[in-house]
Amino acid sequence: MRATASVLLAIASVVLLSGSAEDKRLSIYSTIANYSLPVVERNKMDYVGLLEVLEPLGSVSGRVNGEHWRLRYNNAEAEFTANKRGARARNTNFDLSGNFILEGGRGLVPLLDLSGLLARILGGPITFNPSARRLFVGSVAVHFTAQVSGATTPKLIMNFSAPVNPTIATEPGKLRMTFTHDPVVASGSPKLTFNSPLITSANFIESNGEAEVVITTTVPVLASFSNNGSTITVEPSSVAMAATPAQTLPLPAVVPASPPPPERAASPVVASAPPVPAALPYFAVVDAGHGGDERGAALTEQIAEKDVTLTFARLLRQELNSRGLRTLLVRDGDTTLTLDQRATTTNSAAPAIYLSVHAASQGTGVRLYTALPASGGENIGPFLDWDTAQAPFEALSDAAATSVAAALHGKQFPVRTLTAPLRPLNNITTAALAIEITPPAGDASRLNSAAYQQPIAAAVAAGVADARDRLQAGRR
Amino acid sequence: MIPRQLILGAVVMIMLALGMGFYAWRMRGGASQPEPASTQPVAPPVLGPTEAVTLYVAYDEGALLRAQPARIPLPAGRQERAEELLRALLNIYLDKTSPHLLGPGSEIRDVYLVDPGLAVIDLNAAFADGHRSGVLVEELTVASLVQTLAANIPGITRAKILVDGKDRDTLAGHLDLTNFYDVAAFSQLSLQLQSER
């Protein structure tokens, strides 16, 4: 009896746990909005709320009349009856694959019927992948190509037909790009194999309203965005390349940098810029503050600090690269990183300067911060105390701050230089500076605009370039 | 014929019942209109003469820290004086005309002075959870607390901030709370924060 009860309890636990492991989601992509909705299970079938599906696409209303539910979307009408399969849309009768369900004024339709139902109501082509629960309204799919170039320093270049913004995560031997709100689809075979010993394959997977590209590698890699987010380049990190034996992977003296994005090519600064030697150590590491689960400050109801810092960090990288200062982004996507991970990545890359990017909704202009010396800490032999690792580089950081402040002043940007107990500045073993940008004339909604950020990024890069010799002399 | 004593007894009983009813009605009326709950921190009243102190008050306008003379009653004990100083500062921030808004319910739970020279400031969770996020806005708050203590309590060389008695990574996403602050470095920072440049 007791054994039977234990078995039943175990089965119940497994059922409960498996049910709660992952909520089912449906993603809908359209020219108006890309969004994701919960899928509910009724009568052993997947259902979705029809009003919720249509609301982001246009003007929609639902009205309950006894057992009947009448839906109006723009000029189209549809009528359903609770616990019946028969329905009517645009004066045409049809049957659902399961009963229509009316719950608290909410109309639920079987997920499998959604494609046909939307085609009737919206009147356009609908593409639905039921196993992945991804639905495309119209021709909105984003296609991509992927190829590895360069035998000695291989780079996987992925070109997308529209800008994308995946979440990027790395684990040993893999780099995952998760596309939650991008209508990315595979153009051909879902698995691509490359003739490279370092970047071996890319696998496209779709499930639960998301698409994922998993890149298999044999060395640690970094991903970077260019071309306004339409190109993602995956390449071995400098640390990985340095660790690779020279006889198996000789480094070229100079590798031309990837071409600048088309819209920047017109800029005289970029056009006159020398190519950045890719095999040299990074001169600068730019760290977009926050990211992933950590949103930073809510600058407006819509704008999170993590997005502003990423946009600015990418612009700053362009500006630094265009001045011949090879630059690494600590995060180049919506990734969660701890402060220790940021410091470790930076210290491993051994750059001449580290630039941390923040944004605030209060105040005006740009604020520059160097580390406020922490109390205590003791270095033991060659090992630096983690919390005071910045101490030997304080003068170098001050020099960089002075140079950047002068460049910002020169461009008429209000600038204030302060010290701050702001991690990971104190853990960085090179010149380290944090930049906090604030909105123009108190209008936080313009903080994320490239037009506002671009001249600030250019001035910061000019200030770093002015201090190049001093920074180069002071690097480890 | 009803006995006279019985009539008198009945009248007394009716008057008593009416009186009790009126009393109960007043009590219910009072209970249904409670005093609005105060969100201000409750500090024990300090008696005695006032003393001249300098509070370092953060101003959002211009993002400045200003040294502000004040007279407040202070107890004799060093630790209690430290607590009173920070409570006086907090009263400024929680006032309607606050120059530097803090979240409702913000409180200084305790200040501990540990020899040699360490001040531990324990904030409540509402203080940190309701704080605005940003490097400078957080820095103004922390500098205001640390510099007010350092300027008025001799011998403080290091400071540490806890939230609800525990370590916390940052105040509101930026300012580091994991480390011990060097008060001399904070005094330099306070000078920087008193200038707009």
Side-chain angles (χ1 to χ4, degrees), chain B residues 5-196:
Chain B
Q5 292 89 338
L6 197 60
I7 292 170
L8 276 173
V11 169
V12 169
M13 290 291 284
I14 289 167
M15 287 180 71
L16 268 174
L18 284 171
M20 292 284 284
F22 179 71
Y23 178 72
W25 177 76
R26 286 289 304 271
M27 291 293 284
R28 280 184 61 186
S32 65
Q33 292 171 349
E35 287 287 312
S38 169
T39 55
Q40 298 289 315
V42 179
V46 178
L47 301 175
T50 58
E51 287 185 37
V53 296
T54 304
L55 302 178
Y56 281 80
V57 182
Y59 282 79
D60 291 336
E61 182 73 38
L64 291 170
L65 195 64
R66 291 187 179 146
Q68 197 163 300
R71 289 198 73 87
I72 57 170
L74 287 179
R78 198 163 166 257
Q79 190 153 309
E80 291 75 16
R81 290 168 75 86
E83 286 178 0
E84 282 311 313
L85 276 165
L86 294 193
R87 288 196 176 118
L89 187 63
L90 210 64
N91 283 339
I92 294 175
Y93 292 142
L94 294 173
D95 190 78
K96 283 177 193 164
T97 58
S98 170
H100 177 73
L101 284 170
L102 294 183
S106 297
E107 279 183 45
I108 308 286
R109 294 176 78 225
D110 287 298
V111 180
Y112 303 100
L113 297 181
V114 185
D115 282 332
L118 171 65
V120 180
I121 305 167
D122 187 11
L123 313 175
N124 71 345
F127 193 118
D129 295 342
H131 202 284
R132 288 168 292 159
S133 182
V135 181
L136 190 51
V137 75
E138 293 173 46
E139 182 160 65
L140 280 167
T141 302
V142 173
S144 162
L145 297 174
V146 172
Q147 190 58 21
T148 295
L149 277 190
N152 296 285
I153 308 283
I156 295 177
T157 55
R158 293 188 306 153
K160 166 82 180 158
I161 293 183
L162 301 176
V163 177
D164 262 355
K166 294 175 196 148
D167 255 326
R168 179 166 163 138
D169 287 345
T170 63
L171 180 57
H174 297 89
L175 256 274
D176 177 33
L177 299 187
T178 61
N179 275 308
F180 289 84
Y181 300 135
D182 179 43
V183 167
F186 251 92
S187 295
Q188 287 297 314
L189 169 62
S190 298
L191 287 175
Q192 295 170 12
L193 289 171
Q194 290 174 61
S195 156
E196 287 192 34

Side-chain angles (χ1 to χ4, degrees), chain A residues 4-333:
Chain A
T4 311
S6 302
V7 169
L8 285 173
L9 193 64
I11 292 169
S13 305
V14 168
V15 169
L16 283 172
L17 285 172
S18 62
S20 63
E22 188 179 38
D23 292 334
K24 287 183 179 178
R25 308 284 303 175
L26 162 74
S27 283
I28 298 173
Y29 310 98
S30 72
T31 52
I32 299 168
N34 296 335
Y35 51 103
S36 175
L37 298 167
V39 173
V40 296
E41 196 174 305
R42 300 286 184 271
N43 309 326
K44 296 182 182 172
M45 286 178 71
D46 286 340
Y47 277 79
V48 66
L50 192 52
L51 266 187
E52 291 91 320
V53 167
L54 291 168
E55 260 168 359
L57 301 175
S59 172
V60 64
S61 62
R63 191 156 50 88
V64 180
N65 183 8
E67 293 295 295
H68 300 284
W69 191 69
R70 182 166 288 174
L71 173 101
R72 187 172 181 85
Y73 172 83
N74 292 345
N75 296 322
E77 282 198 352
E79 193 170 335
F80 303 85
T81 308
N83 303 317
K84 301 275 188 219
R85 292 183 176 214
R88 185 176 174 83
R90 289 187 187 265
N91 300 320
T92 309
N93 292 330
F94 60 95
D95 279 337
L96 301 171
S97 59
N99 287 343
F100 175 78
I101 295 174
L102 199 51
E103 277 186 0
R106 196 169 159 240
L108 301 178
V109 294
L111 186 62
L112 288 175
D113 296 315
L114 194 58
S115 172
L117 206 46
L118 289 184
R120 290 171 195 275
I121 296 171
L122 301 176
I126 306 288
T127 311
F128 184 41
N129 178 344
S131 61
R133 292 191 285 275
R134 301 180 81 213
L135 187 142
F136 302 79
V137 181
S139 304
V140 292
V142 171
H143 299 268
F144 69 95
T145 59
Q147 64 179 75
V148 170
S149 67
T152 51
T153 313
K155 279 182 185 176
L156 170 62
I157 298 171
M158 301 176 72
N159 284 312
F160 294 81
S161 57
V164 291
N165 188 21
T167 301
I168 295 179
T170 56
E171 59 188 80
K174 282 188 170 58
L175 183 142
R176 292 177 188 276
M177 299 178 193
T178 306
F179 300 86
T180 312
H181 297 294
D182 297 310
V184 174
V185 296
S187 297
S189 164
K191 179 151 189 177
L192 303 168
T193 50
F194 308 116
N195 188 21
S196 163
L198 303 185
I199 302 173
T200 55
S201 66
N203 204 9
F204 181 82
I205 305 157
E206 290 176 285
S207 71
N208 201 23
E210 288 182 346
E212 192 175 61
V213 175
V214 182
I215 296 160
T216 307
T217 65
T218 54
V219 291
V221 289
L222 292 169
S224 59
F225 289 72
S226 57
N227 200 13
N228 264 350
S230 295
T231 302
I232 299 177
T233 305
V234 177
E235 57 186 320
S237 69
S238 61
V239 178
M241 292 304 287
T244 310
Q247 62 272 26
T248 56
L249 193 70
L251 295 176
V254 174
V255 178
S258 53
E263 75 279 13
R264 296 286 308 137
S267 156
V269 175
V270 175
S272 64
V276 181
L280 291 179
Y282 289 106
F283 184 87
V285 168
V286 175
D287 183 6
H290 313 284
D293 299 335
E294 216 253 284
R295 292 172 56 79
L299 302 172
T300 69
E301 281 185 11
Q302 287 83 32
I303 303 176
E305 187 183 357
K306 65 172 185 173
D307 298 323
V308 175
T309 58
L310 183 56
T311 308
F312 185 82
R314 287 175 179 162
L315 288 172
L316 185 54
R317 175 180 57 183
Q318 276 183 13
E319 292 294 337
L320 289 164
N321 277 338
S322 74
R323 287 165 174 80
L325 305 175
R326 190 164 180 248
T327 300
L328 170 73
L329 287 195
V330 173
R331 74 170 175 97
D332 200 354

Side-chain angles (χ1 to χ4, degrees), chain A residues 349-437:
Chain A
I353 187 167
Y354 165 80
L355 298 156
S356 170
V357 180
H358 289 275
S361 56
Q362 313 93 11
T364 53
V366 181
R367 297 163 194 148
L368 302 175
Y369 301 93
T370 53
L372 181 85
S375 168
E378 196 179 330
N379 300 332
I380 301 171
F383 297 102
L384 295 178
D385 172 58
W386 184 245
D387 294 327
T388 56
Q390 170 65 190
F393 303 93
E394 278 170 14
L396 205 56
S397 301
D398 288 343
T402 305
S403 182
V404 172
L408 285 162
H409 268 307
K411 295 290 178 190
Q412 313 301 319
F413 286 109
V415 60
R416 200 168 172 197
T417 308
L418 297 160
T419 52
L422 179 67
R423 286 195 65 214
L425 291 182
N426 261 323
N427 314 120
I428 302 294
T429 55
T430 188
L433 205 56
I435 302 159
E436 188 177 39
I437 57 170

